[in-house]
Amino acid sequence: SSGINAEWPLRPGTNEVMKKQHAFLNSVSERINILKVVIRRVKTRYNSLLLYFGIDPVKHFIPPDEFCRVISEFALEYRTAIEAVVLEQEKKRKMRKKKKVPTATLR
């Protein structure tokens, strides 16, 4: 299916260097075929991820590096916003504690 021959033919009477080259070419062709399968699966999963986020990869393809940058920036902004909300809640809590001074100690 990939077009790369998994077994390179070995001529009879070849020397040791040729045998090593033959083994190397066989190994490389197997690795290339495996990488093609992996790349196809990764692309399929990435397209599924885009669909999950509501982006149609056929109509509007976003390169993976750009998509990851957007997600990273969003996470940073989200974390900053959450920290600001928590700080504001703590300030309000402290202000409430200051206002709730017991009246018995004021006499």
Side-chain angles (χ1 to χ4, degrees):
S1 69
S2 65
I4 295 198
N5 190 4
E7 267 299 315
W8 291 89
L10 185 61
R11 293 183 305 201
T14 56
N15 61 16
E16 197 60 37
V17 172
M18 292 294 282
K19 289 179 183 178
K20 286 182 181 182
Q21 285 178 343
H22 178 264
F24 173 76
L25 289 175
N26 284 334
S27 173
V28 167
S29 66
E30 286 178 28
R31 291 177 190 173
I32 289 172
N33 288 333
I34 290 170
L35 284 174
K36 284 184 176 186
V37 170
V38 169
I39 288 170
R40 189 181 75 242
R41 288 180 183 171
V42 167
K43 285 180 180 179
T44 301
R45 288 181 184 169
Y46 178 68
N47 288 341
S48 297
L49 179 68
L50 288 179
L51 283 173
Y52 175 80
F53 282 106
I55 302 168
D56 186 6
V58 176
K59 292 181 182 176
H60 184 71
F61 182 78
I62 299 175
D65 58 334
E66 182 181 336
F67 179 76
C68 291
R69 182 179 44 78
V70 168
I71 295 295
S72 177
E73 288 175 2
F74 172 79
L76 180 63
E77 290 292 327
Y78 181 80
R79 183 176 35 220
T80 304
I82 291 294
E83 289 172 358
V85 168
V86 168
L87 284 175
E88 186 66 29
Q89 288 174 346
E90 287 176 8
K91 284 181 184 178
K92 286 181 180 179
R93 211 175 294 127
K94 287 179 183 178
M95 290 301 289
R96 275 188 244 128
K97 283 184 179 181
K98 286 181 181 180
K99 287 182 181 180
K100 289 185 178 180
V101 176
T103 56
T105 58
L106 292 177
R107 293 183 189 176

